[in-house]
Amino acid sequence: IKAEFQKWPWQYWAEQRPTEIAIALGDANAGAVTWNWIEVTANIETYAQRLVAQGVKRDQLVAVVALNSIDVLWLLLAIIRVGARYVGLNPKLPSKALIEQLTALGNNHIWCPELDTAEQLPGHTLSLTPAMTSERIIPVMWQEHRPVSLTLTSGSTGLPKAVVHNPQSHLASASGLLKQMTFTAHDSWLLSLPLFHISGLAIVWRWLYRGARIVLVEPALQQQALQWVSHASLVPTQLQRFLDSQYAHQHQLQQVLLGGATIPVSLTTAAEQAGIECWSGYGMTEMASTITAKRANSSAGVGTVLPNRELILRDGEIWVRGKVLCLGYYRNNTIFSLVGYDDDDDWFATKDLGEWHDDELFIRGRADNMFISGGENVQPEDIEQVLLQHAAVKQVMVLPIDDHDFGARPVAIVTTAQPLDSYLVDQLVTYMSQNVAPHKRPIRYLSLPECFTQNVKVSRSDLIKWLASQD
Ligand code: 4YB
């Protein structure tokens, strides 16, 4: 197994496993378009030539504003190949937010196929089929330390941060995870999360690390495609939808890596009964995705620390470091390290709260989600954990709502197995009064609007705005 690549990973695999299928677009058992490692290498070269012909230069920033597609994958790899940097953005963002974020990034180029606003977005617009005059050798060498990707991650306030990684941290992330999960060169991982999120990028680097197969399908086939692959990365709601679908009855899906949000034990139990091995992970953009993981079991913890990562608790807060930690945040065309400003302290504060029980990490929520109700500290995630144990509750977000007497009080926004009628609300009220202290009992129950469940994760700050707009 690879300690380190001496050349571009696809070139390495083109030598080691030249004719093995590397990429499948569609159902590999029925008419998928496929590329072997030799073809992948040649295609990346072609796309790289096209970028060079349009003026893309090393160290420049190329923004890709698109949902996952084979073109986005080619672009990502070609951008890296020419020594430039990739940043993905969600095309569903309102154009005002896109312009704001791109302006802050100062991207040199942009590819934005789904919007007709491309002309108004900052950066020189790229074409995938430019008129080509000549082809020449691209002299950039594989360098593990060169920045290759910027990944946007939203905090609770302000513009998202742009997290810079090099191949070394991406590959260290892949190798550490794959010491726990089995993913052989004959397995296939579905590109089941967006390439503008760290969870999607991490799939690409695991594929490159292992020389295995990556599977892409059009958005409408995502759920069905879970039948055809051996591996997938899913946020809990995606797995829930798959289990609720007709496709769950017959599938080849062996292992699923879960993360991004609290993973209900009821969900992993149901998936295991359907023959899917579940891995519960805790991760974040700054650490190139998964930090801790375990094979799911009856406990709600997120397992132990993976190789190439370190984790400690300081006053209940999670601090991390290791080879997977990013180079820094990108601001004003500069990479600012996250750590090392404080004498010798190279730990990064995640703002997540954690506890160890029986050598296993449990996530208790985010420090900045805490609010005060009538003088009592309320951690919304504590309340969410209790509500998730109710049979009717599939997904829940607890938020503070201003209150004249208490300052703030909790409100629960839920997705439920049956309609959220007054009968079910009464049941939930009774259940909570039997299980938590008065200040932790939600004063209202509302249904989570469908539009919030379309993204990788439900945004608390967006939901707070929505809540404020409800009477
Ligand atoms: C959690 C949490 C948990 C994160 N419980 N809060 O490849 C993977 O690891 C993967 C697979 C499937 C789905 C997602 C992933 C990820 O990468 C997720 C990484 C992620 O969400 N990064 S983030 O920067 O967008 O958000 C990080 C934050 O998310 C953390 O700081 C936590 O607050 C929260 N989180 N896993 C509870 N298991």
Side-chain angles (χ1 to χ4, degrees):
I1 285 166
K2 296 276 351 106
E4 221 168 78
F5 289 96
Q6 305 298 328
K7 55 182 72 166
W8 299 97
W10 45 87
Q11 291 177 345
Y12 175 82
W13 296 117
E15 284 171 6
Q16 300 294 315
R17 329 173 23 85
T19 58
E20 297 290 326
I21 294 177
I23 303 180
L25 181 59
D27 185 351
N29 306 317
V33 184
T34 61
W35 291 264
N36 66 32
W37 285 105
I38 291 191
E39 292 162 339
V40 166
T41 301
N43 233 347
I44 296 171
E45 244 21 59
T46 304
Y47 274 73
Q49 290 286 351
R50 292 174 184 166
L51 293 181
V52 171
Q54 294 173 86
V56 177
K57 299 193 169 58
R58 58 176 70 193
D59 297 335
Q60 285 191 335
L61 184 57
V62 183
V64 175
V65 189
L67 297 179
N68 287 354
S69 69
I70 189 70
D71 280 335
V72 175
L73 183 60
W74 293 131
L75 263 177
L76 163 65
L77 299 170
I79 289 165
I80 294 173
R81 171 67 185 86
V82 303
R85 299 165 185 173
Y86 163 91
V87 61
L89 287 95
N90 185 350
K92 294 201 172 132
L93 282 171
S95 63
K96 183 169 167 282
L98 276 176
I99 291 169
E100 216 173 41
Q101 293 182 18
L102 288 165
T103 306
L105 285 166
N107 59 303
N108 306 89
H109 305 271
I110 187 161
W111 189 67
C112 178
E114 285 142 45
L115 304 177
D116 26 73
T117 50
E119 297 309 316
Q120 298 145 11
L121 295 181
H124 161 250
T125 301
L126 294 174
S127 155
L128 295 187
T129 50
M132 298 279 289
T133 45
S134 65
E135 293 193 2
R136 48 201 163 115
I137 301 292
I138 303 157
V140 179
M141 306 283 284
W142 165 251
Q143 285 170 333
E144 287 224 329
H145 297 282
R146 187 180 199 101
V148 288
S149 64
L150 276 64
T151 312
L152 297 175
T153 182
S154 337
S156 43
T157 53
L159 278 178
K161 298 185 187 103
V163 178
V164 187
H165 283 284
N166 59 21
Q168 182 191 258
S169 57
H170 283 303
L171 290 169
S173 170
S175 79
L177 179 80
L178 298 184
K179 288 203 172 76
Q180 297 279 325
M181 268 179 97
T182 40
F183 178 52
T184 72
H186 303 286
D187 289 328
S188 51
W189 203 303
L190 181 67
L191 186 61
S192 44
L193 283 158
L195 286 172
F196 52 76
H197 192 266
I198 197 64
S199 53
L201 282 183
I203 297 171
V204 171
W205 290 98
R206 288 174 203 132
W207 161 64
L208 290 175
Y209 176 76
R210 187 56 93 221
R213 187 181 297 183
I214 194 168
V215 177
L216 282 79
V217 297
E218 54 187 273
L221 294 179
Q222 275 292 335
Q223 205 156 78
Q224 201 177 342
L226 287 168
Q227 288 186 310
W228 318 325
V229 294
S230 61
H231 290 67
S233 302
L234 302 175
V235 292
T237 47
Q238 285 174 299
L239 179 58
Q240 181 68 56
R241 285 198 196 118
F242 178 67
L243 293 180
D244 290 344
S245 77
Q246 64 191 94
Y247 308 116
H249 303 303
Q250 207 189 2
H251 64 81
Q252 296 161 30
L253 190 56
Q254 291 164 19
Q255 300 191 45
V256 164
L257 176 61
L258 293 159
T262 306
I263 304 157
V265 171
S266 56
L267 175 63
T268 52
T269 307
E272 295 266 351
Q273 272 160 12
I276 304 165
E277 250 188 49
C278 293
W279 289 78
S280 301
Y282 158 68
M284 65 191 320
T285 310
E286 286 83 346
M287 291 287 277
S289 78
T290 336
I291 305 166
T292 72
K294 68 160 183 186
R295 176 74 190 274
N297 56 18
S298 61
S299 109
V302 288
T304 54
V305 183
L306 294 168
N308 302 330
R309 297 88 165 140
E310 291 178 76
L311 185 152
I312 51 167
L313 297 181
R314 287 181 180 162
D315 297 331
E317 213 191 294
I318 298 173
W319 292 64
V320 290
R321 68 179 183 189
K323 257 170 97 177
V324 299
L325 184 67
C326 62
L327 294 168
Y329 295 130
Y330 191 80
R331 269 195 318 272
N332 302 328
N333 300 304
T334 312
I335 300 169
F336 292 91
S337 173
L338 275 53
V339 296
Y341 297 104
D342 241 0
D343 306 316
D344 301 334
D345 191 356
D346 59 354
W347 291 95
F348 170 65
T350 65
K351 302 266 164 52
D352 288 319
L353 304 172
E355 286 170 15
W356 289 108
H357 293 290
D358 303 325
D359 289 330
E360 179 176 9
L361 183 71
F362 286 72
I363 308 297
R364 289 294 176 230
R366 285 192 68 78
D368 41 17
N369 287 342
M370 204 263 286
F371 64 90
I372 295 168
S373 181
E376 303 268 9
N377 288 354
V378 178
Q379 187 69 46
E381 291 93 339
D382 281 350
I383 305 174
E384 291 167 9
Q385 297 264 359
V386 179
L387 274 167
L388 274 177
Q389 284 160 37
H390 188 283
V393 178
K394 299 211 149 173
Q395 199 181 359
V396 55
M397 195 69 100
V398 169
L399 300 172
I401 189 165
D402 289 341
D403 184 273
H404 182 267
D405 298 320
F406 291 77
R409 296 195 78 178
V411 169
I413 301 170
V414 292
T415 312
T416 47
Q418 66 244 45
L420 185 67
D421 51 17
S422 60
Y423 169 75
L424 180 54
V425 171
D426 285 347
Q427 268 198 344
L428 293 173
V429 169
T430 308
Y431 167 79
M432 289 308 275
S433 67
Q434 289 162 349
N435 285 284
V436 297
H439 64 275
K440 293 186 178 179
R441 296 176 195 158
I443 58 165
R444 277 178 80 186
Y445 290 86
L446 298 169
S447 284
L448 180 68
E450 188 73 26
C451 61
F452 284 99
T453 62
Q454 303 304 313
N455 287 328
V456 177
K457 54 179 91 183
V458 182
S459 155
R460 262 178 213 271
S461 52
D462 287 355
L463 207 50
I464 286 179
K465 280 184 214 142
W466 173 81
L467 186 59
S469 74
Q470 300 299 100
D471 60 76

